[in-house]
């Protein structure tokens, strides 16, 4: 039987109703047994179960550490995200967790954002699709909470920063990944962010929260605040926030007072309380008994981590390691693996196998030796000794595996990185190593993108990001080729921090940040400026090779024939980009709109068909202040990465594009249709001449097909003139009545045409 929440709510005291809008602890909502209100338990997420804070009753503190989103995004594979989400959800559910606080899906606008390890990509389509599949995986057994809504793109000043973003950029770039998830995957909850968006805190934002999320997208799940983010509780609730976390009794008092004073009428309180209870009940409704097999999850994750890693360089096909007898392994990160980022996503991971141990185990037939070479905090004589010991090992090795990357202290929630570089002592060691042995393979462990200019000292570079508990095991799989790396970069590898499109707008500790680069984020900016990058978005190599032998492109689907002539199975990532050419504002060129990971077995071939749905053809419309279906010319391209085009086709995307003719329609708009040209010829010509040239010159100009012959300046002036100007500038010759007649005629021909 359906519960009548309003009636239930009315039976509770005002004090109890108000108390429900804040948590009972850092990880629980309140329970009122006599009123049938159950408490839900939530915990971070998304890299594992943060058992130290979750009092979900099972007493577990440790967790399997799942790969970070920065690595998972390189899969370009919805199935992988779904699988990882499934294990994480199962793990959480088996411990009594109702809501996993993740995924975190803010866009990588600023590559130095301290929390980029937790985020997916610089591209909203990739982010939304992959994080959506992750949500679907979690929600097979428990609830998921997508965070942080929205525009939380850096950590310095994250609790107060006022992000100024125009609406087109907001909708297309920063909200659209949330939109994909909300519409397709229906997450149980969404967490609002700390920052302000255009002057209003995200948790009480009338545009992003009230209009877009609750009204336009009709989102009916639980909206919770980030921890400690609420500014004004009444405004927040009115905009659509359900729950303030963690516990804030002072806001309960404020809420009560507002009800008693009539500022927040009781009916309003009741309606919001009923919504809150219904949403919490929905989450409780997922509860069921499950069994989580940690070993099974770990083994699967080890394969996934290897597969997601990105092979950036592989000179002379040095990888996978074949026929090598002596393997030297170097770097502190090879024995103390960097597996996750800092902050609330950090879990107490079960002892993770390190890279060196895993390599030694896999390459038992070889001599494997470890030497530190470099370590954080070692200087002077100590550092020199480390280097000389390591060089002795290197001289005696067939191949040198160097684990490099960012030390844990450099990237975390709460602050941004200061530099794009890996620490200088790592590079100095690499250069010294290069002098004695050129067979160098760099395994890179970092959460945020780093400057890869050191790659010239290595024959192979594998971007491993942060792989969680299975980091070591995955390294052995990559090096041996048991699981070849098949990842593609989900962010551009740029040469220097000054290249970021947001660079001119980012101060170290600002109060306000203007998103002046607009739609031009990541590869969209680098492509539009044809800028040099080290590796483009979407880039990644394979041990084998796949060729695109046929490509057919229509606006409904793409058909591709892939052939693998190599000795390795290849998981190829097909990327589809769309460039909207008929837009009323400048756009950044080709944008990723679809992607598909396809296994092409060694020596085999595959035909792939990828449907293009309406999501691929949405753009922001200034007239309606919303995303809308695009129609007009578009170039659709199949690419290997954001820079490498395999095939492209110029098409006209059909659509019900009705022209909205009114007094302010430009003559240039009329010139785009035969009816418009006819009207100019038959009804407007003489008044246009009068309006632009005045009485005395009218005769000296002749027009044909809506254009003045031999008078380009006149044509430019005319194109940019609104219809109303004919009334204003024709000294009464063209009246408002005549204008209305013309408009009626145009509208009719649009309906019938
Ligand atoms: C973070 C959230 C997290 C919450 C609870 C906040 O500081 O921004 O992502 O879910 O803490 O730990």
């Amino acid at each position: 039987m359906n519960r009548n929440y309003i009636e239930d709510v009315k039976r509770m005291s005002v004090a109890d109703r108000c108390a429900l809008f804040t948590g009972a602890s850092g990880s629980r909502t309140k329970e009122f047994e006599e009123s049938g209100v159950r408490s839900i338990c939530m915990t971070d997420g998304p890299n594992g179960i943060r058992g130290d804070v979750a009092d979900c009753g099972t007493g577990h503190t440790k967790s399997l550490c799942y790969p970070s989103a920065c690595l998972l995004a390189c899969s370009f594979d919805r199935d992988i995200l779904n699988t990882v989400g499934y294990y994480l959800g199962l793990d959480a559910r088996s411990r009594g967790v109702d809501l996993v606080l993740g995924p975190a899906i803010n866009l990588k606008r600023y590559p130095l954002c301290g929390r980029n390890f937790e985020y997916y990509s610089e591209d909203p389509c990739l982010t939304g699709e992959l994080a959506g599949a992750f949500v679907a995986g979690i929600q097979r057994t428990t609830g998921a909470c997508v965070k942080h809504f929205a525009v939380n793109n850096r950590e310095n000043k994250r609790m107060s920063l006022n992000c100024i973003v125009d609406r087109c950029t907001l909708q297309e770039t920063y909200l659209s990944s949330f939109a994909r998830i909300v519409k397709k995957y229906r997450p149980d909850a969404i967490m609002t962010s700390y920052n302000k968006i255009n002057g209003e805190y995200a948790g009480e934002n009338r545009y992003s929260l009230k209009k877009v999320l609750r009204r336009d997208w009709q989102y009916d799940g639980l909206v919770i605040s980030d921890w400690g983010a609420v500014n004004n509780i009444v405004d927040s609730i009115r905009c659509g926030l359900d729950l303030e976390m963690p516990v804030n009794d002072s806001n309960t008092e404020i809420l009560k007072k507002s009800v008693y004073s009539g500022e927040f009428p009781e009916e309003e309180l009741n309606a919001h309380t009923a919504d809150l209870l219904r949403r919490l009940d929905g989450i409780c409704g997922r509860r069921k008994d499950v069994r989580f097999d940690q070993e099974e999850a770990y083994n699967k994750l080890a394969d996934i981590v290897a597969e997601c890693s990105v092979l950036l360089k592989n000179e002379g096909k040095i990888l996978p390691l074949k026929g090598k007898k002596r393997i030297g392994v170097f770097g502190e990160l090879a024995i103390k693996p960097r597996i996750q980022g800092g902050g609330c996503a950090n879990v107490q991971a079960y002892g993770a196998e390190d890279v060196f141990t895993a390599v030694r185990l896999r390459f038992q037939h070889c001599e494997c030796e470890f030497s530190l070479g470099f370590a954080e905090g070692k200087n002077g004589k100590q550092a020199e000794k480390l280097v000389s010991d390591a060089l002795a090992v290197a001289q005696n090795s067939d191949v040198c595996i160097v684990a490099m990357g960012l030390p844990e202290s450099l990237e975390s929630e709460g602050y941004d990185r200061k530099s794009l570089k890996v620490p200088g002592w790592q590079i100095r060691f690499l250069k010294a190593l290069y002098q004695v042995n050129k067979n160098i393979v760099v395994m890179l462990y970092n959460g945020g993108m780093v400057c890869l200019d050191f790659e010239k000292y290595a024959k192979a570079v594998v971007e491993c990001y942060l792989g969680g508990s299975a980091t070591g095991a995955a390294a052995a799989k990559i090096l041996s080729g048991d699981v070849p790396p098949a990842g593609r970069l989900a962010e551009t590898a740029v040469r220097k921090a000054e290249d970021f499109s947001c660079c001119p707008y980012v101060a170290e500790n600002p109060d306000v940040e203007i998103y002046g680069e607009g739609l031009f984020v990541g590869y969209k900016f680098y492509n539009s400026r044809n800028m040099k990058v080290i590796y483009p978005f979407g880039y990644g190599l394979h041990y084998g090779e796949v060729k695109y032998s046929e490509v057919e492109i229509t606006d409904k689907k793409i058909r591709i024939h892939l052939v693998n002539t190599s000795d390795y199975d290849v998981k190829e990532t097909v990327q589809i980009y769309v460039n909207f050419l008929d837009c009323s504002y400048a756009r950044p060129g080709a944008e990723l709109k679809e992607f598909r990971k396809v296994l092409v077995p060694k020596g085999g071939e595959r035909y792939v068909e990828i449907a293009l749905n309406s999501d691929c053809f949405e753009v922001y419309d200034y007239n309606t202040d919303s995303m809308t279906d695009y129609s007009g010319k578009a170039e659709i391209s199949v690419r290997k990465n954001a820079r490498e085009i395999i095939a492209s086709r110029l098409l006209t995307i059909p659509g019900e594009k009705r022209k909205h003719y009114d007094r302010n329609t430009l003559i240039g708009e009329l010139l785009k249709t035969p009816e418009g040209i006819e009207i100019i010829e038959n009804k407007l010509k003489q008044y246009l001449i009068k309006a632009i040239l005045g009485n005395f010159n009218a005769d000296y100009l002749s027009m044909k097909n809506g254009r003045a012959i031999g008078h380009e300046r006149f044509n430019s002036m005319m194109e940019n003139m609104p219809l109303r100007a004919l009334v204003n500038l024709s000294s009464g010759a063209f009246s408002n009545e005549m204008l209305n007649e013309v408009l009626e005629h145009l509208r009719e021909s649009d309906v019938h045409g």
Side-chain angles (χ1 to χ4, degrees):
M1 204 180 69
N2 280 348
R3 196 172 151 187
N4 187 332
Y5 288 97
I6 286 281
E7 287 311 312
D8 288 355
V9 162
K10 283 186 187 159
R11 279 193 284 275
M12 296 174 79
S13 69
V14 167
D16 283 354
R17 276 175 258 167
C18 291
L20 275 173
F21 288 88
T22 185
S25 72
S27 56
R28 277 207 168 274
T29 58
K30 293 200 173 100
E31 179 157 300
F32 291 98
E33 222 185 317
E34 62 288 1
S35 310
V37 178
R38 292 177 285 177
S39 157
I40 64 160
C41 176
M42 53 187 99
T43 182
D44 295 297
N47 298 344
I49 311 304
R50 207 175 148 204
D52 55 332
V53 289
D55 54 356
C56 299
T58 56
H60 285 283
T61 50
K62 289 200 165 178
S63 166
L64 193 60
C65 181
Y66 293 75
S68 293
C70 56
L71 175 67
L72 290 173
C74 299
S75 68
F76 278 63
D77 188 339
R78 295 167 179 91
D79 290 344
I80 283 187
L81 270 294
N82 193 282
T83 305
V84 178
Y86 171 65
Y87 282 121
L88 178 66
L90 205 59
D91 197 347
R93 184 68 257 143
S94 70
R95 296 163 189 240
V97 176
D98 296 302
L99 192 64
V100 175
L101 301 176
I105 67 158
N106 296 91
L107 208 81
K108 296 191 189 192
R109 166 190 185 239
Y110 179 45
L112 296 183
C113 167
R115 218 170 166 177
N116 273 358
F117 66 87
E118 239 181 299
Y119 300 150
Y120 284 73
S121 172
E122 65 189 28
D123 180 81
C125 163
L126 186 66
T127 300
E129 287 300 313
L130 294 184
F134 188 71
V135 166
I138 295 177
Q139 294 201 160
R140 280 157 76 182
T141 55
T142 197
C145 174
V146 183
K147 62 192 187 183
H148 312 85
F149 190 75
V151 201
N152 181 181
N153 307 105
R154 55 180 306 195
E155 288 298 289
N156 288 3
K157 287 272 182 97
R158 69 167 168 160
M159 289 188 138
S160 58
L161 189 65
N162 184 8
C163 303
I164 308 294
V165 197
D166 69 85
R167 287 185 175 179
C168 173
T169 302
L170 189 59
Q171 293 249 11
E172 285 207 11
T173 307
Y174 298 99
L175 301 184
S176 68
S177 34
F178 286 95
R180 279 176 192 266
I181 302 177
V182 165
K183 289 177 189 164
K184 280 200 214 154
Y185 301 97
R186 301 178 188 285
D188 281 348
I190 288 190
M191 185 191 294
T192 56
S193 56
Y194 288 118
N195 51 287
K196 287 180 185 163
I197 307 167
N198 295 329
E200 286 177 353
Y201 282 102
E204 60 190 47
N205 197 287
R206 281 169 295 174
Y207 187 76
S208 58
L209 185 52
K210 192 171 178 176
K211 171 190 153 33
V212 178
L213 182 68
R214 287 299 196 194
R215 202 187 74 198
D216 296 354
W217 303 347
Q218 297 279 299
Y219 179 65
D220 193 30
L222 188 75
V223 174
I224 66 181
S225 75
D226 201 340
W227 269 229
V230 168
N231 168 56
N232 179 317
I233 187 65
V234 175
D235 288 351
S236 285
I237 294 175
R238 280 193 164 139
C239 280
L241 188 108
D242 295 306
L243 182 67
E244 172 178 13
M245 285 301 285
V247 196
N248 187 356
D249 293 337
S250 63
N251 268 345
T252 305
E253 286 310 307
I254 291 179
L255 203 54
K256 265 195 295 189
K257 277 193 193 131
S258 316
V259 175
Y260 294 142
S261 71
E263 187 209 327
F264 189 56
E266 211 177 317
E267 296 75 62
E268 235 185 289
L269 171 73
N270 291 348
H272 287 294
T273 318
D275 282 344
L276 167 61
L277 292 190
R278 183 169 44 78
R279 288 164 187 157
L280 289 172
D281 258 6
I283 296 172
C284 291
R286 290 191 185 279
R287 286 179 184 165
K288 56 178 172 253
D289 285 337
V290 296
R291 205 184 63 81
F292 173 61
D293 183 338
Q294 183 162 306
E295 201 178 316
E296 178 196 309
Y298 174 85
N299 290 335
K300 186 79 190 158
L301 288 179
D303 287 352
I304 286 177
V305 172
E307 185 178 326
C308 290
S309 302
V310 189
L311 180 66
L312 293 174
K313 179 174 180 180
N314 196 14
E315 231 174 76
K317 295 212 181 285
I318 187 171
L319 287 180
L321 299 178
K322 291 264 142 76
K324 304 277 185 282
K325 292 208 173 72
R326 289 160 306 177
I327 302 176
V329 179
F330 307 89
E332 199 177 16
L333 293 175
I335 50 163
K336 276 198 210 153
R338 172 86 208 284
I339 63 169
Q340 58 178 326
C344 69
N346 195 279
V347 297
Q348 288 185 39
Y350 286 112
E353 190 178 25
D354 66 63
V355 173
F356 176 61
T357 308
V359 168
R360 199 168 42 176
L361 207 67
R362 174 60 182 79
F363 291 89
Q364 282 175 19
H365 52 289
C366 300
E367 243 176 68
C368 294
E369 196 170 347
F370 173 77
S371 184
L372 204 53
F374 57 89
E376 197 177 5
K378 301 275 188 241
N379 305 307
K381 288 256 169 309
Q382 265 183 324
E384 278 169 30
K385 169 92 171 64
L386 286 184
V387 174
S388 62
D389 288 353
L391 295 187
V393 173
Q395 264 158 348
N396 204 25
S397 302
D398 298 328
V399 62
C400 302
I401 311 295
V402 189
M404 291 174 58
L406 293 176
E408 209 162 308
S409 56
L410 285 189
E411 49 185 345
S412 164
E413 176 181 339
Y415 53 90
D416 293 327
R417 277 193 291 154
K418 288 199 170 12
S419 156
L420 198 63
K421 302 245 177 211
V422 295
W425 32 271
Q426 297 191 13
I427 313 254
R428 283 195 290 281
F429 172 72
L430 190 65
K431 282 185 183 165
L433 192 68
Y434 183 74
Q435 299 308 316
V436 302
N437 192 334
K438 302 264 182 298
N439 287 330
I440 298 177
V441 174
V442 169
M443 304 290 276
L444 204 54
Y445 297 98
N446 49 304
M449 180 45 80
V450 294
C451 172
L452 295 163
D453 57 359
F454 56 79
E455 52 141 31
K456 50 183 173 286
Y457 303 110
K459 280 202 173 147
V461 179
V462 188
E463 173 56 271
C464 305
Y465 283 109
L466 304 176
S469 298
T471 297
K477 286 175 192 272
I478 293 168
L479 295 170
S480 61
D482 293 345
V483 180
R488 297 299 180 93
L489 288 180
E491 57 188 323
T492 309
V494 286
R495 294 172 307 161
K496 50 188 188 317
E498 293 72 32
D499 289 350
F500 311 152
S501 59
C502 63
C503 180
Y505 311 102
V506 174
E508 193 174 339
N509 267 308
D511 295 325
V512 180
E513 190 157 311
I514 297 167
Y515 281 42
E517 74 284 1
L519 300 171
F520 294 72
V521 175
Y523 70 88
K524 296 175 189 169
F525 175 68
Y526 309 121
N527 279 2
S528 67
R529 296 288 181 284
N530 207 10
M531 271 168 79
K532 263 200 179 151
V533 298
I534 296 185
Y535 292 112
F537 171 86
Y539 178 87
L541 301 172
H542 297 281
Y543 289 162
E545 217 190 324
V546 149
K547 296 229 165 6
Y548 289 65
S549 81
E550 287 161 39
V551 180
E552 269 171 45
I553 302 176
T554 71
D555 61 331
K556 298 275 177 303
K557 62 175 188 249
I558 312 276
R559 223 173 108 82
I560 296 168
H561 183 215
L562 296 169
V563 183
N564 181 349
T565 47
S566 72
D567 297 335
Y568 289 92
D569 294 347
V570 171
K571 288 193 173 171
E572 174 66 6
T573 300
V574 178
Q575 302 171 36
I576 318 288
Y577 291 73
V578 179
N579 186 359
F580 301 103
L581 298 164
D582 275 342
C583 225
S584 53
Y585 47 90
R587 299 194 61 89
E591 304 168 33
L592 183 79
K593 290 294 170 190
E594 246 306 355
F595 53 89
R596 185 71 46 82
K597 187 80 147 301
V598 188
L599 170 68
V600 193
K602 57 183 170 193
E605 57 178 347
R606 279 282 304 272
Y607 278 97
V608 196
E609 212 169 85
I610 302 173
L612 303 181
N613 59 31
S614 57
D615 288 355
C616 303
F617 301 105
E618 270 200 333
V619 292
Y620 177 78
D621 180 359
Y622 275 94
N623 289 317
T624 57
D625 186 19
S626 63
M627 297 297 286
T628 186
D629 292 340
Y630 172 84
S631 61
K633 281 202 199 73
E635 186 180 51
I636 302 181
S637 51
V638 175
R639 300 182 181 213
K640 240 183 144 53
N641 57 61
R643 281 275 160 101
E644 217 179 308
I645 302 173
I646 287 164
S648 71
R649 187 165 170 210
L650 192 66
L651 288 164
T652 301
I653 311 300
E656 238 199 78
K657 197 177 189 180
R658 284 266 188 80
K659 298 232 178 299
H660 298 280
Y661 293 111
D662 61 27
R663 296 168 58 76
N664 296 317
T665 298
L666 299 185
I667 302 294
E669 276 303 303
L670 300 195
L671 282 166
K672 287 184 184 162
T673 64
E675 309 81 61
I677 294 176
E678 201 184 303
I679 285 220
I680 295 174
E681 278 295 321
N682 297 339
K683 302 212 162 141
L684 303 181
K685 191 156 78 179
Q686 72 215 68
Y687 306 112
L688 270 169
I689 295 172
K690 201 172 175 62
I692 295 175
L693 301 177
N695 287 334
F696 48 92
N697 272 330
D699 292 341
Y700 114 113
L701 191 122
S702 56
M703 284 180 74
K704 199 169 170 216
N705 286 337
R707 313 290 296 167
I709 300 160
H711 286 274
E712 270 322 302
R713 265 178 31 208
F714 178 89
N715 283 332
S716 314
M717 303 254 293
M718 172 176 77
E719 274 170 29
N720 297 319
M721 183 175 263
L723 281 169
R724 96 181 109 75
L726 293 186
V727 179
N728 299 354
L729 298 172
S730 65
S731 317
F734 189 71
S735 65
N736 274 317
E737 288 68 38
M738 290 159 86
L739 172 56
N740 288 340
E741 245 174 62
V742 164
L743 284 174
E744 214 158 287
H745 187 86
L746 281 168
R747 285 177 193 138
E748 253 175 40
S749 58
D750 189 36
V751 172
H752 302 303

